[in-house]
Amino acid sequence: AQSVTQPDIHITVSEGASLELRCNYSYGATPYLFWYVQSPGQGLQLLLKYFSGDTLVQGIKGFEAEFKRSQSSFNLRKPSVHWSDAAEYFCAVLGGSQGNLIFGKGTKLSVKP
Amino acid sequence: DAMVIQNPRYQVTQFGKPVTLSCSQTLNHNVMYWYQQKSSQAPKLLFHYYDKDFNNEADTPDNFQSRRPNTSFCFLDIRSPGLGDAAMYLCATSRDKVEQFFGPGTRLTVL
């Protein structure tokens, strides 16, 4: 069965430091992969997506992610974190019996001043 | 701007009193979804409409129902809310089940 694993429940980084959030997926075919961000009390906003082509994907707010088929990973990165990046981040793959989103459990990002 | 709108943003109901949450979209997407999200958890899909076809997740309680009167609107009805139904309810839309766009959510409190 398809699944998404986000190994880190909570990460704290200092403002201005680099960030990498890990995501591993289990999917038989070429996956459609997504990263969403959710601020407290808000809906989910799409940061970026991978369908095919270039394995390094650029998203909004200065985020990027790299698809590595050999590692079944789709890690999210940002070179310099801002305090406003504090939020919950969800990795997801399109799959399941009806082609719906399968989410990881999320990683909560805290940013230290 | 094209968007997904949810009303109300905050809803308080009493235990057992039926409640309806509303979602509308200006994206003209053919698929609409309802998710339940509890604190510090990932969204859990309740059901979705693919055009007019209703698709219920196997573990969605019968207490949850949905209606989609037209392309733009979709409603979530909770027939007899229990304390365990207090959560954030998220509506999302997509064109042919690819990229999903989410609304801001409705926070439901059950007293």
Side-chain angles (χ1 to χ4, degrees):
Chain A
Q2 296 94 348
S3 64
V4 176
T5 302
Q6 294 180 247
D8 304 304
I9 297 173
H10 190 186
I11 284 182
T12 300
V13 299
S14 297
E15 190 167 17
S18 63
L19 170 71
E20 182 168 27
L21 301 182
R22 296 183 292 165
C23 173
N24 293 98
Y25 66 90
S26 171
Y27 191 77
T30 300
Y32 286 10
L33 293 158
F34 305 84
W35 273 101
Y36 284 89
V37 60
Q38 185 177 33
S39 297
Q42 300 297 317
L44 276 68
Q45 182 181 22
L46 181 67
L47 283 175
L48 46 77
K49 60 184 184 278
Y50 173 78
F51 291 169
S52 64
D54 193 345
T55 56
L56 185 62
V57 180
Q58 301 297 320
I60 62 171
K61 303 186 180 188
F63 285 92
E64 66 178 27
E66 186 170 11
F67 170 62
K68 292 186 177 180
R69 184 187 298 276
S70 62
Q71 299 178 19
S72 297
S73 69
F74 188 56
N75 294 347
L76 182 71
R77 300 194 295 247
K78 186 170 185 178
S80 177
V81 168
H82 188 261
W83 63 266
S84 60
D85 294 324
E88 186 101 27
Y89 291 79
F90 291 98
C91 181
V93 66
L94 202 63
S97 60
Q98 297 197 44
N100 295 317
L101 279 180
I102 299 168
F103 285 95
K105 293 188 175 183
T107 297
K108 183 176 180 180
L109 174 67
S110 297
V111 180
K112 291 189 299 185
Chain B
D1 285 344
M3 54 199 306
V4 182
I5 302 160
Q6 291 189 243
N7 285 307
R9 293 294 313 279
Y10 301 91
Q11 176 73 57
V12 180
T13 191
Q14 292 181 335
F15 182 95
K17 184 175 181 180
V19 65
T20 295
L21 308 182
S22 169
C23 177
S24 64
Q25 52 125 345
T26 61
L27 297 160
N28 201 32
H29 284 169
N30 59 334
V31 190
M32 295 187 76
Y33 309 79
W34 278 106
Y35 290 86
Q36 179 192 65
Q37 186 181 28
K38 296 191 175 181
S39 183
S40 301
Q41 295 183 21
K44 178 181 181 299
L45 182 64
L46 295 174
F47 26 59
H48 72 276
Y49 274 94
Y50 196 128
D51 297 317
K52 294 182 179 180
D53 294 332
F54 178 70
N55 297 271
N56 200 28
E57 292 300 296
D59 57 354
T60 298
D62 293 340
N63 197 27
F64 291 86
Q65 304 286 322
S66 186
R67 296 170 283 136
R68 188 179 186 186
N70 54 52
T71 301
S72 301
F73 284 86
C74 195
F75 300 98
L76 171 62
D77 300 308
I78 308 176
R79 294 192 296 186
S80 182
L83 297 179
D85 297 327
M88 174 76 89
Y89 289 88
L90 296 167
C91 175
T93 73
S94 72
R95 166 66 58 192
D96 293 326
K97 287 196 159 189
V98 183
E99 182 177 334
Q100 290 190 24
F101 294 82
F102 285 80
T106 295
R107 170 72 64 187
L108 178 67
T109 299
V110 181
L111 301 177

